[in-house]
Amino acid sequence: MVVLIPEEVRVMTRQLHRILVVPVVLVTVLASSVALSSGTRSASAQRTALTHTGRTVRQLKMEVVVKTTNSPYWQIVFAAAKKAAAQFGVQSLGYVGGPSEADINAEITLIEDAIAKHPDFLVIAPTSASALNPVISKAYKAGIKVIIIDSAATTQNYTSFLATDNRLGGCLAAQALARAIKRKTGAARGQVAYATFQSGAGSLGARDAGFVQCIRAFHGISVVAHKDAGGDPNPGGKPLSIAADTLTAFPKLVGYWGDNLQTLQGAEKAFQERHVNHSKVSLVGFDNTAQEVTALKSHQLDGTILQDPYQMGYGGVGYGILASAGLTVPRFVNTGVTVATPANVNGRVIQGLLDPVSKRQIGFK
């Protein structure tokens, strides 16, 4: 039996103790002739699972459908899912996503197309908390195991959900911003603003709620603006303009938070174009590329919240295999959330999350 040992991660804040969770036991993999048996199941499992008596791991079919292919984040998910599929020998029917995270209809069409291929399981990252419910339910009721990753869907018709605790992520962003403000100005007080990438996305809504809740603990800080980028995938488009407008409207601003990569990069560009004094105004974001790593090291960025998309991709396939074998899988898997700052950016754990494709130790050689 192949066993993956969880990678333990040090406490990043006093409130946070996390373990990077991968399936403890993925599946017995001996050769392509190893059969998957349905075994004895509970009544609920019988209602929702197809039997695979006599089938092998290499006969399983899967597809990964994410919000968009035009993002480094989702490319990490794909890389991890492809690694898992290759290592366990399952057949991939595709790794697809819409033209942008705002294109809900495109993702619905992609999932419909995937259902028509009759896969054993689907790994899906929903663009909307509710709009995809009918098509997700269609797949589930057809006997396809549905592994949701990254963002929640409000339907109950899914097998397992792997995601960041986004509310905690938003809270950690608020704390990081307050600490940066205090470090630069001597006190956690003043005007701050934040931007959301797209209203209605479940993960972003949770982040924003966590941010608002936890920033209130700092009584000297007031939130003076909340802007919506309307799902514009171009950081130099609306994410830039809303950040620039906020800086103009509030010249005494001491802090800004972008709740995803595009809103963060839009703010980075606005700070650069407006020649914002980084010794007086703090900037925190969510997610990263190599650009943010450089900004952290040069103290142009005070912090960014790191998710674990690599684990979502690899684990999504892993749990899909387990569910297809007839095993009961967790309803929810918290994949962890961590704050990267200029102080810890060179640490091993942070480096593994910043560059997971080359530096994470998940999976097999």
Side-chain angles (χ1 to χ4, degrees):
M1 181 167 290
V2 178
V3 178
L4 286 183
I5 301 173
E7 176 186 0
E8 294 186 355
V9 179
R10 284 192 308 116
V11 175
M12 292 299 170
T13 70
R14 289 172 297 181
Q15 293 81 11
L16 180 61
H17 296 271
R18 64 177 286 253
I19 294 178
L20 296 178
V21 182
V22 294
V24 176
V25 181
L26 272 178
V27 69
T28 300
V29 182
L30 298 177
S32 61
S33 61
V34 177
L36 293 179
S37 174
S38 61
T40 302
R41 302 176 180 177
S42 66
S44 61
Q46 289 174 342
R47 286 195 299 269
T48 60
L50 290 174
T51 61
H52 295 286
T53 303
R55 301 190 64 196
T56 67
V57 172
R58 293 186 182 277
Q59 290 175 308
L60 293 180
K61 299 177 181 179
M62 50 79 71
E63 184 158 345
V64 180
V65 185
V66 300
K67 299 177 182 181
T68 181
T69 57
N70 299 320
S71 164
Y73 181 92
W74 298 114
Q75 290 302 318
I76 291 171
V77 170
F78 282 166
K82 289 176 181 178
K83 181 178 181 180
Q87 290 183 340
F88 293 105
V90 298
Q91 300 177 40
S92 171
L93 300 175
Y95 302 89
V96 298
S100 81
E101 294 195 16
D103 198 334
I104 296 170
N105 289 332
E107 187 173 24
I108 291 173
T109 298
L110 290 171
I111 297 173
E112 290 279 8
D113 291 344
I115 292 171
K117 300 175 188 176
H118 305 292
D120 294 282
F121 65 92
L122 289 174
V123 179
I124 299 173
T127 50
S128 167
S130 58
L132 272 68
N133 285 351
V135 72
I136 290 173
S137 296
K138 179 180 178 179
Y140 184 79
K141 291 176 181 179
I144 298 169
K145 307 302 179 293
V146 176
I147 311 299
I148 294 176
I149 62 170
D150 184 73
S151 298
T154 51
T155 179
Q156 295 301 303
N157 291 325
Y158 64 89
T159 307
S160 188
F161 176 36
L162 288 74
T164 304
D165 183 339
N166 280 289
R167 193 177 186 96
L168 176 58
C171 182
L172 293 177
Q175 294 170 352
L177 187 62
R179 285 195 299 269
I181 292 169
K182 183 177 181 179
R183 184 174 64 253
K184 294 177 182 182
T185 68
R189 67 166 60 98
Q191 299 177 343
V192 302
Y194 71 102
T196 189
F197 176 67
Q198 182 180 0
S199 296
S203 57
L204 300 178
R207 291 175 199 174
D208 295 349
F211 178 84
V212 171
Q213 178 185 7
C214 289
I215 205 69
R216 288 174 181 158
F218 302 93
H219 301 297
I221 293 178
S222 59
V223 177
V224 294
H226 171 213
K227 302 292 185 178
D228 191 330
D232 185 350
N234 177 16
K238 197 158 185 185
L240 167 61
S241 66
I242 60 176
D245 290 347
T246 301
L247 290 170
T248 299
F250 301 97
K252 295 183 179 180
L253 201 73
V254 296
Y256 191 93
W257 176 56
D259 74 358
N260 85 327
L261 182 61
Q262 285 79 13
T263 53
L264 168 58
Q265 292 186 337
E268 289 178 281
K269 190 170 181 61
F271 274 47
Q272 182 181 28
E273 291 182 352
R274 296 302 176 97
H275 304 290
V276 171
N277 187 340
H278 287 276
S279 66
K280 296 182 179 180
V281 186
S282 299
L283 176 61
V284 172
F286 217 102
D287 294 332
N288 74 282
T289 64
Q291 173 181 315
E292 283 65 52
V293 177
T294 299
L296 285 167
K297 291 180 177 180
S298 64
H299 295 266
Q300 304 297 298
L301 178 62
D302 297 287
T304 192
I305 308 303
L306 303 181
Q307 303 184 79
D308 197 346
Y310 198 87
Q311 186 176 175
M312 293 180 202
Y314 195 100
V317 173
Y319 280 116
I321 294 170
L322 288 176
S324 297
L327 298 180
T328 300
V329 297
R331 187 72 167 168
F332 175 70
V333 177
N334 184 347
T335 53
V337 61
T338 305
V339 184
T341 68
N344 68 15
V345 65
N346 291 316
R348 181 183 62 83
V349 170
I350 299 300
Q351 282 293 305
L353 291 168
L354 290 170
D355 186 10
V357 175
S358 63
K359 297 182 180 179
R360 281 304 300 277
Q361 299 300 316
I362 284 181
F364 302 98
K365 298 280 187 182

